[in-house]
Amino acid sequence: MATADLLAQATSLGIDLNQVDWNSVPVPPDDMGIPSDDDDLINEGEPMEFEQGLDNIVVVDNLPQVPEEKFQKLLDVVKKIYCSIGKVDVDNGGIWMPVDPETRKTLGYCFIEYATPQEAELAREKTNGYRLDRSHIFAVNMFEDIEKFMRVPDEWAPPETLPYVPGENLQQWLTDAKARDQFVIRSGQDTEVLWNDARQLKPEPVYKRPYWTESFVQWSPLGTYLATIHRQGAAVWGGATTFNRLMRYAHPMVKLIDFSPGERYLVTYSSHEPSTPRDTHRVVLNIFDVRTGKVMRDFKGSADEFAVGGTGGVTGVSWPVFRWAGGREDKYFARIGKNVVSVYETETFTLIDKRSMKVENVLDFSWSPVDPILALFVPEIGNQPARVSLIQIPGKEELRQKNLFSVSDCKMFWQSSGEYLAVKVDRYTKTKKSTYTGFELFRIKERDIPIEDLELESKNDKIIAFAWEPKGHRFAVIHGDNPRPDVSFYSMWTAHNTGRVSKLTTLKSKQANALYWSPSGHYIILAGLKGLNGQLEFYNVDELETMASAEHFMATDIEWDPTGRYVATSVTSVHEMENGFNIWSFNGKLLYRILKDHFFQYSWRPRPPSFLTAEKEEDIAKNLKKYSKKYEAEDQDVSNLLSEQEREKRKMLKDEWQKWVSEWQRLHDEEKSLRQELRDGEASDEEEEYDIKEVEVEEVVDVTEDIVDYELD
């Protein structure tokens, strides 16, 4: 508001601004009530660096030093090279090549200004090391980097050794005395981490923060870190009792992130709009060391270079672009390209054997969850059949190959322990007018990796969903026609032959289109999402019986907790109504329900693998009654406490009711004289002491007069 407008408004309100004590006027705090994450940077000793707006300029060194008569020829060469990369406004000084004022020779370098920083970065990447001739090899740097180079001291000094400061125990949440699990939710502007306190039938808050992320949050695979997304990059948080920021990862306009399985590395992705319509999106991928924040390797290029194979993603790029080998060692990662699969090792972040694997027409690949084994799918081309190959890394040895004929589509599903691989194959019929589906089942751990074919009883059934039992030997298939397909369960064992697949049962006409196994196996949820309005059936696969049927109307997401004890179903903001989440027991009992407006995300905190051996876990399962006595006693104490709290709540409600009745009785007694006066001296308030008289009152509602023609004979 201008000063004149302020004075006019004050005059209209009768306020003399000269008499106002401005120090008494409350103003919002500097941080507007939102705590800053950058306060720790103010006193770190190094001066703050601000963007100078020069990140779209590159400096090209090692140019020929030519006289004035050859200046234009050299300029034309530079323009031809650099204007092909991005937009340069040559007419307005977009290229400046300094000249020695005495000799009129060029100084051997030039400055080039692009329309965007992304184009400048691309020019540096493509032309640094460019060989113009035998004597002139370009050295290209960003203009902003020159100032950093100038600040490097002439003499080396050893870095200062800082005293060791022990950090927080980032796994302390695993020592919770109640053995509870945590989860994170986002609703409105808030992000919250809570305990799932199923005994108390409610969540217990751990940490809450407004504007914590600008898009989504993501747990690391072992639950150590919580990652947030910001315009400047990503950050990870963790701690014992609260969530402190542990590291930042600078990557402007980051859109997606992905952790390696062992949490050692973080992959960040961004996509930038092209400067000209004929170009594609510019993609930038960085791989960071999670603990140090150092960029271990970056990848840049057009979206077309990263759009080969896979499904999903942003602007045509399949995500994740890099897929990590199984296990917690984080030794290998790979990406698919045109006719190649590039496998990198993390010791040097370079290609294994310094070259990619050439695989003609490769369409998709998938890592074993536990071993460095790649499964590749190559479609049918001409007379060459389709095939699925298993490749051992790093030796690139082919362990097994299966040729497939008349293939329409193919999907690969690894079992979580890496013991089995299911390949769903859609094949054309002889007439090529329709398709049917079968499965190729690989037994990875057995000698020579035997393969077994499996076809459904009705070959024409459409496969709606497939899912392996975690750590088990069974799998489930939804097949048939919506809205009531069938659900079949199979085992990789039979009663007398562990090397033969067998069908356990088929459930007919189920309202289901998704399968959710418990992480511990044994139990599964047959879910009907989207058009089926959140139908839930909790099924015991050991006993082949339904434990419970329920509904969470309009449910969009279902997620088991990492222990397999509880299930969360949620309705996110894709629906305008009923936003929030429900927590269920493994057998389908609704424990509690939380409604949240503008609900965006629900995610359980993962747990790292148990340190117990398989034998010890089996021993605990056999002697579960002995171990469960302690927890049964605790459950009984909690149940008694809840019962006592319920009794106290009912007593409080009863007392409030009696207090309300007493108050109205008091008012009734105070108004007795007034009622007696209104009743002509009658003091009684009992209705049965009155004589009831009925009086009829006739009232003319309407009168209509009609003239009737009448003739006398």
Side-chain angles (χ1 to χ4, degrees):
M1 179 182 292
T3 304
D5 296 334
L6 181 63
L7 291 172
Q9 186 170 354
T11 303
S12 65
L13 297 173
I15 299 174
D16 185 358
L17 295 180
N18 295 322
Q19 302 298 321
V20 175
D21 181 8
W22 295 106
N23 293 325
S24 65
V25 178
V27 295
D30 293 339
D31 61 2
M32 303 301 289
I34 303 172
S36 172
D37 296 330
D38 300 320
D39 293 340
D40 58 335
L41 300 177
I42 296 176
N43 298 315
E44 286 189 353
E46 295 186 6
M48 299 288 287
E49 293 186 9
F50 298 94
E51 292 186 4
Q52 303 296 322
L54 303 175
D55 53 353
N56 61 332
I57 300 175
V58 296
V59 182
V60 183
D61 204 355
N62 289 343
L63 290 174
Q65 298 182 14
V66 300
E68 187 174 2
E69 57 268 20
K70 293 185 178 180
F71 177 89
Q72 188 61 45
K73 183 177 180 180
L74 178 60
L75 181 61
D76 291 341
V77 171
V78 172
K79 285 195 295 185
K80 182 178 180 181
I81 295 172
Y82 285 94
C83 290
S84 64
I85 297 174
K87 185 177 181 181
V88 180
D89 191 354
V90 179
D91 296 334
N92 292 309
I95 299 179
W96 180 48
M97 193 180 303
V99 175
D100 187 312
E102 296 181 0
T103 64
R104 305 305 297 171
K105 277 189 173 184
T106 59
L107 297 178
Y109 61 88
C110 71
F111 301 88
I112 302 175
E113 181 179 3
Y114 282 96
T116 65
Q118 290 75 30
E119 291 175 336
E121 180 66 32
L122 179 61
R124 183 196 66 80
E125 180 185 339
K126 285 193 171 184
T127 63
N128 186 38
Y130 178 83
R131 184 183 294 272
L132 184 64
D133 55 40
R134 184 175 299 179
S135 303
H136 299 92
I137 300 174
F138 289 178
V140 185
N141 291 283
M142 304 299 294
F143 183 84
E144 289 189 334
D145 292 339
I146 301 298
E147 187 177 354
K148 296 178 184 177
F149 300 151
M150 297 296 292
R151 291 202 303 264
V152 176
D154 295 334
E155 295 185 5
W156 178 83
E160 180 184 358
T161 302
L162 300 176
Y164 171 72
V165 178
E168 287 189 279
N169 179 7
L170 300 181
Q171 277 76 38
Q172 185 165 340
W173 63 280
L174 293 169
T175 64
D176 179 57
K178 299 179 182 178
R180 298 173 298 180
D181 281 287
Q182 289 183 353
F183 59 87
V184 65
I185 61 173
R186 289 195 309 115
S187 60
Q189 65 189 23
D190 296 327
T191 302
E192 301 177 68
V193 179
L194 305 104
W195 289 109
N196 172 38
D197 202 337
R199 288 176 172 175
Q200 300 290 344
L201 303 181
K202 62 180 180 180
E204 179 182 320
V206 176
Y207 189 73
K208 181 178 180 178
R209 189 185 185 102
Y211 306 108
W212 200 357
T213 182
E214 295 184 29
S215 56
F216 63 91
V217 294
Q218 182 173 323
W219 294 108
S220 59
L222 305 179
T224 308
Y225 309 107
L226 181 66
T228 56
I229 308 300
H230 310 274
R231 222 171 275 179
Q232 301 88 346
V236 295
W237 309 71
T241 57
T242 186
F243 280 79
N244 300 313
R245 188 183 60 242
L246 304 175
M247 186 57 64
R248 287 189 178 104
Y249 311 95
H251 187 154
M253 307 306 293
V254 61
K255 292 183 180 179
L256 297 170
I257 62 173
D258 183 44
F259 283 93
S260 63
E263 300 183 339
R264 297 185 182 187
Y265 305 106
L266 176 70
V267 183
T268 59
Y269 162 90
S270 65
S271 175
H272 306 275
E273 293 286 342
S275 58
T276 59
R278 69 177 183 274
D279 296 331
T280 61
H281 283 74
R282 175 80 175 153
V283 168
V284 178
L285 289 143
N286 291 328
I287 303 179
F288 293 92
D289 184 293
V290 169
R291 293 191 176 183
T292 66
K294 179 183 177 182
V295 178
M296 308 306 295
R297 177 77 190 262
D298 63 352
F299 297 82
K300 300 170 184 176
S302 67
D304 294 340
E305 296 176 46
F306 298 95
V308 182
T311 57
V314 180
T315 63
V317 173
S318 59
W319 186 256
V321 172
F322 299 112
R323 305 180 197 177
W324 293 87
R328 296 173 59 179
E329 294 80 12
D330 294 343
K331 282 188 176 181
Y332 309 107
F333 63 95
R335 57 168 289 209
I336 193 171
K338 187 175 182 180
N339 298 324
V340 295
V341 175
S342 302
V343 184
Y344 302 83
E345 48 86 17
T346 55
E347 186 174 349
T348 61
F349 280 87
T350 57
L351 289 167
I352 293 178
D353 298 334
K354 298 183 179 180
R355 63 178 183 271
S356 299
M357 289 192 300
K358 188 173 182 180
V359 185
E360 290 291 333
N361 303 310
V362 61
L363 187 62
D364 197 10
F365 78 96
S366 179
W367 286 100
S368 162
V370 295
D371 300 309
I373 298 176
L374 273 176
L376 306 178
F377 168 62
V378 178
E380 197 169 359
I381 303 293
N383 294 327
Q384 295 293 324
R387 72 179 188 274
V388 173
S389 300
L390 298 179
I391 309 295
Q392 179 77 52
I393 301 297
K396 301 180 182 178
E397 173 192 358
E398 187 174 72
L399 303 177
R400 193 72 161 88
Q401 177 178 306
K402 175 69 173 181
N403 290 333
L404 307 168
F405 298 91
S406 301
V407 175
S408 166
D409 192 18
C410 181
K411 292 286 186 296
M412 296 177 287
F413 303 90
W414 282 95
Q415 184 252 12
S416 63
S417 300
E419 296 184 19
Y420 309 109
L421 170 66
V423 180
K424 182 177 77 72
V425 184
D426 295 337
R427 291 183 169 92
Y428 291 108
T429 59
K430 291 183 179 180
T431 62
K432 302 287 186 179
K433 294 182 179 180
S434 61
T435 61
Y436 65 96
T437 302
F439 293 92
E440 304 290 337
L441 303 172
F442 292 69
R443 299 178 184 270
I444 306 297
K445 301 295 184 180
E446 297 183 19
R447 185 178 178 180
D448 297 330
I449 310 181
I451 304 172
E452 186 172 356
D453 296 334
L454 173 66
E455 290 186 354
L456 302 179
E457 292 179 357
S458 177
K459 292 176 61 175
N460 295 325
D461 275 3
K462 176 185 176 183
I463 303 297
I464 298 172
F466 175 95
W468 283 104
E469 177 186 24
K471 304 177 184 177
H473 56 88
R474 295 173 291 201
F475 59 90
V477 183
I478 301 179
H479 55 95
D481 297 322
N482 283 319
R484 287 190 171 274
D486 298 337
V487 182
S488 294
F489 294 91
Y490 294 84
S491 171
M492 296 296 287
W493 303 346
T494 62
H496 305 290
N497 185 357
T498 58
R500 183 73 180 173
V501 68
S502 61
K503 187 169 79 168
L504 302 176
T505 189
T506 294
L507 309 178
K508 296 290 187 180
S509 299
K510 293 294 180 180
Q511 286 185 286
N513 54 19
L515 299 165
Y516 296 90
W517 281 96
S518 164
S520 60
H522 310 294
Y523 310 107
I524 191 172
I525 296 176
L526 314 179
L529 304 180
K530 299 180 180 178
L532 298 181
N533 292 328
Q535 299 295 321
L536 306 172
E537 183 171 341
F538 295 79
Y539 193 76
N540 184 337
V541 185
D542 290 341
E543 304 297 332
L544 299 179
E545 64 181 13
T546 298
M547 297 181 292
S549 295
E551 180 186 50
H552 186 176
F553 184 61
M554 294 192 298
T556 56
D557 299 281
I558 298 175
E559 187 176 353
W560 284 86
D561 85 322
T563 66
R565 295 175 296 173
Y566 305 104
V567 182
T569 60
S570 57
V571 179
T572 57
S573 58
V574 296
H575 296 300
E576 297 181 358
M577 301 169 56
E578 302 293 328
N579 279 199
F581 62 92
N582 292 356
I583 300 296
W584 310 75
S585 67
F586 76 96
N587 57 357
K589 179 182 178 182
L590 178 61
L591 300 178
Y592 61 89
R593 183 185 188 192
I594 302 294
L595 295 178
K596 291 277 187 179
D597 291 335
H598 306 292
F599 188 73
F600 301 121
Q601 186 178 0
Y602 184 104
S603 180
W604 290 101
R605 188 172 193 172
R607 283 179 174 265
S610 171
F611 289 108
L612 298 176
T613 62
E615 293 76 15
K616 184 62 176 176
E617 289 186 358
E618 185 177 352
D619 178 68
I620 292 174
K622 288 180 179 179
N623 299 281
L624 193 58
K625 290 186 178 180
K626 179 179 72 173
Y627 294 104
S628 64
K629 288 181 180 179
K630 170 188 173 183
Y631 300 104
E632 287 175 355
E634 291 181 3
D635 288 345
Q636 187 60 45
D637 292 341
V638 172
S639 179
N640 293 338
L641 178 62
L642 291 175
S643 298
E644 183 62 29
Q645 291 175 347
E646 184 67 23
R647 284 193 293 271
E648 290 293 332
K649 181 179 178 181
R650 291 182 179 181
K651 184 177 181 300
M652 183 182 66
L653 291 173
K654 182 179 178 182
D655 292 343
E656 289 180 357
W657 165 254
Q658 291 179 343
K659 181 180 178 181
W660 183 84
V661 171
S662 299
E663 177 65 17
W664 280 102
Q665 184 64 46
R666 184 184 63 80
L667 294 173
H668 182 268
D669 294 342
E670 289 178 356
E671 295 172 352
K672 183 175 181 180
S673 59
L674 178 60
R675 291 196 302 277
Q676 186 174 358
E677 181 181 346
L678 292 173
R679 295 171 180 171
D680 297 331
E682 294 291 339
S684 175
D685 292 326
E686 300 296 332
E687 291 186 1
E688 58 268 18
E689 296 184 9
Y690 290 93
D691 293 332
I692 299 176
K693 296 181 179 180
E694 294 184 2
V695 179
E696 294 184 3
V697 178
E698 294 184 358
E699 180 181 353
V700 178
V701 177
D702 190 18
V703 177
T704 302
E705 183 176 318
D706 294 329
I707 300 175
V708 180
D709 294 334
Y710 181 73
E711 295 181 1
L712 295 175
D713 293 335

